Amino acid sequence: MVDQVNLSDFMDWVVDRNPGEQVFHQAVHEVAETVIPFINDNPVYAKIKVLHRMVEPDRTISFRVSWADDNGEVQVNRGYRVQFNNSIGPYKGGIRFHPSVNQGVLKFLGFEQTFKNSLTRLPMGGGKGGADFDPKGRSQHEIMRFCQSFMTELYKYVGPDIDVPAGDIGVGGREIGYMFGQYKRLTNSFSGVLTGKGLEYGGSLMRTEATGYGAVYFMEDMLHHIGDQIEGKTAVVSGSGNVATHAAEKIVHRGGKPVTLSDSGGFIHDPEGFTLEKLDWIKKHKAQRGARISAYVDEFGGSYHEGKRPWHVPCDLALPCATQNEMGESEAKALIGNGCKAVAEGANMPCTVDSIAALQGAKVLFAPGKAANAGGVGMSGLEMSQNSARLHRDEEDLGAALRKIMSDIHDACVSQGTQADRSVDYVKGANIAGFKKVADAMLAFGVV
Ligand code: NDP
């Protein structure tokens, strides 16, 4: 019987079984590297092959999404839901609409989600879904028809006690509204089947802000742990969507100075820093279909850098909040060279393996997304409980709950990731803390 796992044999096995899914291999490798030594110290997990079972989704559903565009032309997209692991609660994780969506991307996101949801301590399993649909340039009616067609298939597989999707890239409040409306119509029921809903129909206060605010809270906790603070520090932020704009906003609340934001076209740099007024303008501007971040410069000044990412701008703090693999090794080295003290991943896996190694090697505090961006799903968990209990919690109460969720995750990382020299390996801490709860539940279930 196996009581030890070897990282390289394990990864060969994962790569063979999941050909061509590089981002999934990357996500599994990042977890396996830190969790396998823990498993080898606790052979009960190796004996039941818990990690081998954890990297295999419970199921992957793929379906056709047909719809007619405004010219009456029929369009065909592919939709997915990866139900990764429901050992500690119903599947929970966002829906992404982006042309880059494929099975490998959603498996990476669903795998990460399982650990992230476990870290929140709320009863939520891991899942992720989406479609290779590009909402850019589509009219409101086209987006509505697409969402309705997507949900007409997805509704068979989700439910408030089965699988509760949320938003992600390309899916915000408007898309959640269209999908919720279609689910309600198809099932003749009003239930908490989605989170990120509008406040009028079961949504939670603070959900919109939670991921970005949470990432900054985690950054704040890492700095406090070494006797430092955000106040007075310059931050570079990437992205200009939900996570990025709220992260920048919370940095301003804490007396820091965010100086960059970006989109898929390039980044803007405002050396004066974004004020709350400027950030409100950006939020409104980017909410318009096809709007580009470059327009900021005409309105407020600063500079626009087409086709570039912001990691060469001198800063104390960095928050990658756009998408996966948006910071490579040379960019991490540029941050290190400029004296950056801490990096927190607002997006999912924005830093490559090499960039994380460079940051950790240079003793830059590094918070992985599964810990730093867990505030969004934490608040989604509280939206689910408000829906089940038919309750409405107020903003102050939820704001305090979010702050506590993030500091509890920070504490869990410190408890599992503190090294001999008293520094904290947050990657190791988050992976082991997230793994343990799910693994112990799987242990209780026997071989399933
Ligand atoms: P949004 O759709 O609101 O914003 C995404 C931002 O990233 C946009 O500025 C977009 O630019 C940019 N972007 C997307 N793809 C690329 C690319 N290939 N290259 C450069 N920029 C890109 O998404 P969110 O803010 O919700 O999500 C951002 C990240 O945070 C994702 O990794 C998501 O999985 C993660 N996340 C989100 C949570 C949430 O609560 N929303 C929860 C936890 C994680 P453009 O406008 O040009 O497309």
Side-chain angles (χ1 to χ4, degrees):
M1 194 171 291
V2 186
D3 61 4
Q4 293 284 293
V5 183
N6 172 279
L7 176 63
S8 127
D9 292 348
F10 176 75
M11 282 314 302
D12 287 348
W13 179 80
V14 169
V15 170
D16 274 358
R17 292 169 61 76
N18 302 280
E21 297 180 345
Q22 279 85 358
V23 280
F24 178 57
H25 307 159
Q26 182 183 337
V28 172
H29 187 273
E30 193 240 89
V31 167
E33 203 172 24
T34 47
V35 159
I36 285 178
F38 177 76
I39 291 177
N40 289 340
D41 287 343
N42 298 275
V44 63
Y45 297 124
K47 282 201 178 86
I48 60 158
K49 289 209 172 170
V50 77
L51 191 61
H52 291 75
R53 287 193 278 145
M54 262 190 202
V55 297
E56 191 65 37
D58 289 354
R59 69 193 61 78
T60 300
I61 301 146
S62 154
F63 49 91
R64 181 178 65 236
V65 187
S66 309
W67 56 286
D69 68 19
D70 285 347
N71 299 321
E73 192 178 327
V74 173
Q75 302 285 339
V76 183
N77 287 97
R78 187 171 294 163
Y80 302 88
R81 187 72 185 164
V82 180
Q83 296 182 329
F84 223 103
N85 190 309
N86 69 351
S87 298
I88 60 169
Y91 305 106
K92 179 93 200 81
I95 291 177
R96 177 176 291 192
F97 290 162
H98 194 271
S100 64
V101 163
N102 58 41
Q103 184 172 294
V105 167
L106 296 178
K107 278 168 68 178
F108 123 60
L109 290 164
F111 180 71
E112 286 273 305
Q113 194 80 46
T114 305
F115 290 79
K116 184 187 312 191
N117 293 2
S118 164
L119 280 171
T120 67
R121 300 207 214 159
L122 296 170
M124 299 182 288
K128 199 83 186 187
D132 59 352
F133 168 69
D134 189 357
K136 280 205 191 85
R138 292 293 178 189
S139 72
Q140 188 144 331
H141 277 105
E142 289 178 317
I143 288 177
M144 182 183 74
R145 285 198 295 278
F146 180 83
C147 289
Q148 290 176 339
S149 183
F150 183 83
M151 185 49 92
T152 301
E153 187 61 28
L154 185 70
Y155 93 99
K156 301 167 192 166
Y157 310 105
V158 297
D161 296 318
I162 301 169
D163 184 350
V164 184
D168 190 71
I169 292 179
V171 178
R174 176 183 56 177
E175 291 75 18
I176 292 287
Y178 293 146
M179 288 192 270
F180 185 78
Q182 185 71 351
Y183 181 87
K184 191 170 69 61
R185 181 179 176 199
L186 289 164
T187 59
N188 189 29
S189 69
F190 189 106
S191 65
V193 67
L194 291 163
T195 59
K197 300 186 292 297
L199 294 176
E200 309 76 17
Y201 56 95
S204 175
L205 289 163
M206 291 301 296
R207 174 61 189 91
T208 313
E209 297 87 349
T211 308
Y213 281 17
V216 175
Y217 291 150
F218 199 91
M219 175 75 95
E220 180 170 65
D221 286 342
M222 289 198 299
L223 291 169
H224 284 172
H225 194 68
I226 57 160
D228 207 342
Q229 60 186 17
I230 291 178
E231 194 178 348
K233 293 203 167 47
T234 298
V236 292
V237 182
S238 65
S240 50
N242 174 273
V243 181
T245 51
H246 289 101
E249 187 170 287
K250 186 50 71 181
I251 288 170
V252 175
H253 292 166
R254 290 300 198 246
K257 185 165 85 163
V259 293
T260 67
L261 285 170
S262 70
D263 63 17
S264 49
F267 80 90
I268 51 167
H269 179 204
D270 183 344
E272 304 292 313
F274 304 119
T275 57
L276 295 180
E277 294 70 30
K278 289 173 178 178
L279 288 169
D280 278 345
W281 183 90
I282 292 169
K283 282 188 212 165
K284 286 194 191 106
H285 172 68
K286 283 294 290 184
Q288 300 168 65
R289 228 174 317 118
R292 302 287 76 208
I293 194 73
S294 52
Y296 175 90
V297 175
D298 300 331
E299 193 72 20
F300 298 105
S303 52
Y304 175 63
H305 304 263
E306 190 166 351
K308 299 245 163 55
R309 300 190 286 215
W311 313 123
H312 288 79
V313 173
C315 65
D316 307 301
L317 312 173
L319 289 119
C321 297
T323 192
Q324 63 264 19
N325 290 332
E326 54 162 322
M327 187 193 294
E329 187 182 7
S330 63
E331 292 164 309
K333 286 186 172 158
L335 286 173
I336 296 163
N338 283 329
C340 178
K341 287 188 167 55
V343 176
E345 293 188 320
N348 284 314
M349 214 168 72
C351 298
T352 63
V353 174
D354 293 344
S355 70
I356 298 170
L359 293 167
Q360 289 186 318
K363 294 283 175 203
V364 173
L365 295 171
F366 175 76
K370 60 174 76 69
N373 70 35
V377 76
M379 196 50 62
S380 283
L382 299 183
E383 181 173 335
M384 286 167 72
S385 58
Q386 289 172 85
N387 292 165
S388 302
R390 307 275 194 266
L391 272 177
H392 173 78
R393 294 173 66 171
D394 68 29
E395 190 169 333
E396 200 183 335
D397 175 26
L398 290 165
L402 172 65
R403 190 67 193 86
K404 178 154 176 22
I405 287 173
M406 296 315 296
S407 55
D408 285 350
I409 295 174
H410 182 265
D411 290 349
C413 292
V414 170
S415 125
Q416 296 290 347
T418 298
Q419 308 292 95
D421 65 359
R422 308 306 301 157
S423 68
V424 181
D425 180 340
Y426 285 94
V427 174
K428 178 179 169 193
N431 286 341
I432 294 177
F435 168 82
K436 199 171 171 319
K437 183 174 173 190
V438 179
D440 288 342
M442 291 175 77
L443 200 60
F445 301 149
V447 178
V448 288

